[in-house]
Amino acid sequence: MDYSNAPRQTDQTRKASGPANDTSEAHRQPNPDPASLTRAHLKADARAPRHRVNRKALGHIWQSIDILVILTLTVTGAFAMSGGAVTEVAAGELLPLLAFAALCPALAMLMRLYKVEPRESATLRMLRAFIATAFAGTAITALAHVTAPNVTHLVATFAITSVGAVTLLHVIYAGFIQHWAKSGRLARNVVLVGATPNASKLIKANAGSGTVNVVGIFDDRKARSPQALAGAPYLGTTDDLLSWSLLHEVDRIILTVTPKAEERVRLLLTKLRALPHTVCLLLDLDSFDPAETSLDDIVGVQAARMSGAEERFSHLLAKRLQDVALGLGLFVAALPVMLLIGLAVRLDSRGPVLFRQVREGFNGRPIKVLKFRTMRHDPDAAAKPIRQVELDDPRVTRLGGFLRMTSLDELPQLWNVLTGDMSLVGPRPHAPGMRTGGTETSSLVAEYAHRHRVKPGITGWAQINGSRGPLHSPEAARERIALDVAYIDKANFWFDLWIMLRTLPALLGDKTNIR
């Protein structure tokens, strides 16, 4: 685990003293030139909509609601037709209702009702929902004529009621889609690399669609003339992109450079593969027809994924359910222990009980990680250079040494798991701009940013394999990142459980790492 316990820094103090875990002296920044200042203002003014809704997840949620409602209608209809004695009703009378429960969700999928399209009109969505449900209702009414002619009128009543109820659900869905589309919450945030005529063509075609938000453009060849392209701001070079403060809000990076420029594409990909984001290379741009295809369609279909990995909804759902179920159980079980530790910390030394650290979360997004305070409180610590914890460090309190040795100081991070900032299992959260031996760790390991493709965890594959505590050498940094990336590649529900079971024995048996 990451056991640094440095005080929180502001942006100003971070510039003065260096990032967390840095032991080097501060470097004086050269005075920026006017062009750099202009680009800096453009980058600061760029807007990437936040609190967005995952369209794929939303479609799955609505599908689950539909199935639940349809099953509820089916059971209610069966009880109404039988007067409460369902087991005494002939199979032929129940068959139309069971057919509706199977046919209606299948037709809804066939009509693509669970694909959330911001561009689609609410009227068209409601019409497709009505057609799918009405076809199912008509089919079961016809089936009732064959299997149970004496209850055809009851089946028809059930069909009309069910068609109305399911259609009404999709009217509500359409309202949510319209509302979220207008506020930009359904749009993918993308940046374009390459200020090319094709990029301008794509931006203009995408205008007003609500499906993609082009936050800005980066291009090494335009560094000397900051400007906007088709309304999208030019934000700098690819080096500027790598250090951009809003990068964690971007969903995809799209190369608009023609694939025919092989050498330029290769050089750009070499840089961009260091990021955890999905990087797409647009194909066949010359045949792009703005009247027929949107940028969203091109990103999803007519693009080659060159880097990054597509999210697996089933895995994300299973992992989140695992985090909530096990995390809540562990939090409740550990609550009495945490209360006692909190009281002991308060009595042991002056200062706050909890310590909040700024760390990098999913996609590099800044998060505040909770820990029990294990060092002596220093009100002026933010203005002093940061150094890593050492053996017999005098800053560590008597109780703090025990908490670090047993990792009990990490227990408050169960709250970070429940709020969704962290996971039970994943790469340990690092400080922004973390350094190893005076050198920024991300520059030592090419795959460093790929550890941000998942949420950070309380424990992880690296920790149970002995890579714990501060990093003091490039070799140690490379070993930990290799283990983090290996975990991401093979992560699954059972693997996470195995890591959790291995965590306590691995920590208690660790007598070598400074924590």
Side-chain angles (χ1 to χ4, degrees):
M1 297 185 182
D2 180 6
Y3 295 96
S4 59
N5 200 8
R8 179 184 174 187
Q9 289 182 296
T10 63
D11 290 341
Q12 290 77 12
T13 57
R14 187 177 297 114
K15 291 176 182 176
S17 60
N21 293 331
D22 183 16
T23 58
S24 61
E25 296 181 359
H27 297 280
R28 184 179 298 277
Q29 298 295 327
N31 292 327
D33 57 75
S36 298
L37 287 174
T38 303
R39 288 195 298 274
H41 287 307
L42 286 171
K43 288 168 68 177
D45 291 338
R47 292 292 178 265
R50 302 181 180 182
H51 308 297
R52 287 163 298 121
V53 178
N54 186 308
R55 284 187 266 168
K56 186 180 294 186
L58 186 62
H60 284 290
I61 291 172
W62 284 348
Q63 184 179 22
S64 300
I65 293 174
D66 273 6
I67 292 174
L68 180 61
V69 168
I70 290 168
L71 290 177
T72 301
L73 289 169
T74 301
V75 172
T76 303
F79 269 88
M81 288 176 58
S82 64
V86 178
T87 57
E88 299 177 6
V89 178
E93 296 181 5
L94 294 178
L95 184 59
L97 274 63
L98 297 175
F100 182 84
L103 186 60
C104 192
L107 289 173
M109 289 184 64
L110 187 64
M111 297 290 287
R112 298 167 63 85
L113 287 174
Y114 305 118
K115 183 177 181 181
V116 179
E117 286 286 356
R119 292 174 296 155
E120 183 182 42
S121 69
T123 302
L124 181 58
R125 167 171 282 274
M126 290 183 287
L127 180 61
R128 287 193 293 116
F130 176 75
I131 291 173
T133 53
F135 187 87
T138 303
I140 66 168
T141 303
L143 180 62
H145 276 290
V146 178
T147 62
N150 57 316
V151 295
T152 300
H153 63 290
L154 295 177
V155 172
T157 302
F158 167 81
I160 294 171
T161 303
S162 299
V163 168
V166 176
T167 302
L168 179 61
L169 270 180
H170 284 269
V171 171
I172 297 172
Y173 299 161
F176 276 109
I177 290 175
Q178 281 195 323
H179 174 70
W180 285 331
K182 288 180 180 178
S183 62
R185 295 186 63 185
L186 294 178
R188 291 189 180 100
N189 286 337
V190 303
V191 294
L192 305 184
V193 175
T196 63
N198 279 324
S200 177
K201 187 177 180 182
L202 292 172
I203 295 169
K204 291 176 180 177
N206 176 71
S209 70
T211 59
V212 171
N213 174 50
V214 181
V215 184
I217 300 171
F218 294 83
D219 192 327
D220 292 340
R221 298 184 179 186
K222 292 289 184 179
R224 296 185 179 180
S225 57
Q227 58 184 324
L229 182 67
Y234 166 72
L235 302 179
T237 66
T238 50
D239 289 332
D240 294 321
L241 172 61
L242 298 178
S243 60
W244 189 29
S245 61
L246 282 181
L247 187 58
H248 61 269
E249 295 292 346
V250 171
D251 299 307
R252 292 195 179 187
I253 299 170
I254 306 172
L255 288 181
T256 56
V257 179
T258 174
K260 297 176 183 178
E262 296 180 7
E263 182 63 19
R264 190 180 179 200
V265 170
R266 184 184 65 80
L267 291 174
L268 289 171
L269 286 176
T270 300
K271 284 186 175 182
L272 298 177
R273 277 183 174 142
L275 298 174
H277 302 71
T278 297
V279 179
C280 296
L281 175 63
L282 295 185
L283 306 175
D284 195 22
L285 292 176
D286 293 335
S287 63
F288 171 66
D289 183 2
E292 299 293 332
T293 312
S294 74
L295 179 54
D296 192 45
D297 296 324
I298 289 183
V299 172
V301 180
Q302 297 174 279
R305 187 179 300 112
M306 309 303 293
S307 180
E310 190 70 15
E311 63 183 16
R312 295 171 291 159
F313 177 78
S314 58
H315 171 69
L316 294 177
L317 178 61
K319 190 168 181 64
R320 184 57 185 154
L321 291 176
Q322 182 185 58
D323 285 341
V324 172
L326 295 181
L328 183 60
L330 290 171
F331 183 83
V332 172
L335 191 57
V337 178
M338 288 194 286
L339 291 174
L340 291 175
I341 293 175
L343 179 61
V345 170
R346 175 70 73 181
L347 296 175
D348 182 61
S349 61
R350 291 166 46 185
V353 171
L354 292 178
F355 183 78
R356 291 170 174 81
Q357 298 173 309
V358 177
R359 291 290 183 260
E360 291 180 315
F362 175 73
N363 239 16
R365 182 177 291 110
I367 60 174
K368 291 183 179 179
V369 174
L370 299 175
K371 292 179 66 174
F372 284 117
R373 181 177 57 83
T374 58
M375 290 187 176
R376 303 186 189 284
H377 181 56
D378 182 359
D380 300 322
K384 298 178 181 179
I386 293 174
R387 58 189 179 93
Q388 299 185 61
V389 178
E390 302 170 352
L391 185 64
D392 299 324
D393 197 313
R395 297 173 298 167
V396 178
T397 64
R398 291 173 299 173
L399 178 63
F402 171 76
L403 295 178
R404 283 175 171 271
M405 182 179 64
T406 57
S407 296
L408 290 173
D409 60 325
E410 311 284 353
L411 283 178
Q413 289 170 26
L414 289 170
W415 180 253
N416 289 115
V417 172
L418 295 178
T419 58
D421 287 334
M422 292 179 62
S423 183
L424 289 173
V425 180
R428 284 294 296 160
H430 285 180
M434 190 184 80
R435 293 178 179 249
T436 300
T439 303
E440 195 160 327
T441 310
S442 59
S443 66
L444 295 173
V445 188
E447 297 83 8
Y448 181 82
H450 286 263
R451 69 193 311 278
H452 298 140
R453 283 159 43 194
V454 297
K455 292 179 183 178
I458 294 180
T459 185
W461 185 236
Q463 284 63 51
I464 68 170
N465 281 282
S467 181
R468 292 182 288 275
L471 297 171
H472 294 284
S473 68
E475 292 74 19
R478 294 187 184 100
E479 178 187 7
R480 181 173 299 179
I481 303 309
L483 290 168
D484 287 340
V485 174
Y487 162 75
I488 294 171
D489 290 339
K490 57 182 178 181
N492 61 60
F493 181 87
W494 300 110
F495 189 47
D496 283 358
L497 287 181
W498 170 243
I499 291 174
M500 283 186 258
L501 291 174
R502 288 272 310 275
T503 295
L504 188 59
L507 291 176
L508 295 180
D510 180 13
K511 306 300 181 184
T512 58
N513 287 298
I514 300 172
R515 291 188 270 164

